[in-house]
Amino acid sequence: MNQLSDRINNLSTSATLAMAAKAREMRAEGKDIIGLSLGEPDFNTPDFIKDAAIDAINQNYNSYTPVDGYGDLKNAIITKFKRDNNLNYVPAQIVVSTGAKQSLSNVAAVLINEGDEVILPCPYWVSYSDIVKLNGGIPVEVKTSIDTDFKMTAEQLEAAITPKTKMIWYSSPCNPSGSVYSEQELRSLARVLEKYPNIFVVSDEIYEHINFKGGHFSMANIDHMYDRTITVNGVSKAFAMTGWRIGYIGAPDWIARACNKMQGQVTSGANCIAQRAVITALETDPSSISYMVEKFKERRKLILNLLNEIDGFKSNEPEGAFYVFPDVSAYFGKTIKGTTINNATDMSMFLLQEALVATVTGEAFGNPDCIRISYAASEENIKEAIKRIKDVLN
């Protein structure tokens, strides 16, 4: 008898993790799968960060950590916010968590009440919607398109606001589209929000340093938004530290205290060795990881050129992160090799089964017309993957 809670029964499985698991199963069966589904850099963590972790082990860091993070790590985060974002925080405004996903979950748990609406510009990161629903909120999806580089306009934001609107969540650079909101675009959104002082903003900036246009701007830089913006960040993407599981927030102190309280009853403090290593990562000039960003930029050019050779794939040029998000709706309703493709999920599964290339359906990100393709992979794998896709569709 199924006695699981309604909460878990109504929760979706992460589409990115599900596709990765399916690809692993097929590899175990002996199939040559090229994985372009996971949002994970294909670089190793830089040696200077690994050395810091080894030093921490040798210095016998092995005890429980403060729930909201080591004091010197919080100071390093404060320095990073000032250096990279011109944001001023004090230790009471910083909470370190087990990955940015926990940071987001903490914020949702302490701010969302049953029935509160949370505006999500589509496409959005795969877990936003379910984190909101898990905490009793109602996701309100604002549709964007490839023609506007998948960015929400001020007019769309205004139209989506209701008396029940509690928050807005967005990422910039965006996962899955790679879109980057400019300072002008964020100020335009902020002018709308100035009329609604009770609406909070979650600004997910985890891809901040993987930005090909430069000039990253944070919503919290706008005077009237600072006291109601929660800036979420971490080290997983820019420093190739996905498995180290360290994320953090900068927020109004009363929100940070609430997140600290929540985390104290769920996981307590994050891993001690990882925290020591992250101090070194954040205290180092971001130029230390520019070699990764340059390589991603080269791969972006490569994959866009290759995708442009596939009839029916419509792509824009992403300005950050390491994804392309092509519109594949030209194939909907067509039958290829006996399979009818009705939506992005069908396309993603078709490419896995027939081309042996793992991608992710855009439906998981709130956009049913697109698929997400990660180019955090070798040039050899990118070339082979797109060749397979082109061959099977032709």
Side-chain angles (χ1 to χ4, degrees), residues 197-343:
N198 295 323
I199 297 176
F200 294 87
V201 173
V202 167
S203 177
D204 182 348
E205 303 181 14
I206 193 76
Y207 291 92
E208 168 192 8
H209 292 303
I210 308 175
N211 182 335
F212 309 127
K213 62 179 289 186
H216 177 84
F217 187 77
S218 299
M219 179 70 85
N221 273 125
I222 301 171
D223 288 343
H224 67 87
M225 295 305 303
Y226 176 84
D227 287 331
R228 52 191 174 117
T229 297
I230 301 94
T231 305
V232 178
N233 212 321
V235 293
S236 62
K237 310 301 182 179
F239 293 94
M241 296 178 71
T242 52
W244 297 69
R245 309 310 303 135
I246 298 293
Y248 55 86
I249 63 169
D253 57 0
W254 61 276
I255 295 177
R257 286 196 302 271
C259 289
N260 185 20
K261 180 180 179 181
M262 174 61 65
Q263 189 164 294
Q265 294 289 13
V266 180
T267 60
S268 296
N271 178 281
C272 58
I273 304 303
Q275 286 198 54
R276 304 313 300 174
V278 171
I279 294 172
T280 297
L282 294 183
E283 287 181 343
T284 304
D285 191 281
S287 62
S288 66
I289 47 94
S290 61
Y291 66 94
M292 291 190 242
V293 179
E294 287 304 312
K295 183 58 68 174
F296 286 134
K297 189 173 183 179
E298 292 173 12
R299 294 172 183 174
R300 176 187 65 160
K301 181 179 179 181
L302 171 65
I303 198 168
L304 285 175
N305 286 339
L306 294 172
L307 287 173
N308 286 337
E309 297 175 1
I310 301 178
D311 291 337
F313 272 49
K314 181 181 179 181
S315 303
N316 66 325
E317 184 173 85
E319 297 176 322
F322 38 70
Y323 311 105
V324 286
F325 200 59
D327 186 316
V328 296
S329 59
Y331 286 92
F332 296 173
K334 294 184 177 180
T335 300
I336 307 173
K337 300 188 74 171
T339 298
T340 300
I341 299 172
N342 293 311
N343 49 49

Side-chain angles (χ1 to χ4, degrees), residues 45-58:
T45 303
D47 287 342
F48 72 91
I49 299 174
K50 292 188 286 187
D51 290 341
I54 293 168
D55 287 344
I57 293 171
N58 291 332

Side-chain angles (χ1 to χ4, degrees), residues 309-310 331 336-337 350-351 354-355 383-394:
E309 297 175 1
I310 301 178
Y331 286 92
I336 307 173
K337 300 188 74 171
F350 174 79
L351 295 179
E354 299 294 337
K383 290 177 181 177
E384 176 61 19
I386 305 307
K387 178 181 181 298
R388 292 182 186 183
I389 291 173
K390 183 178 180 181
D391 289 347
V392 77
L393 291 178
N394 286 343

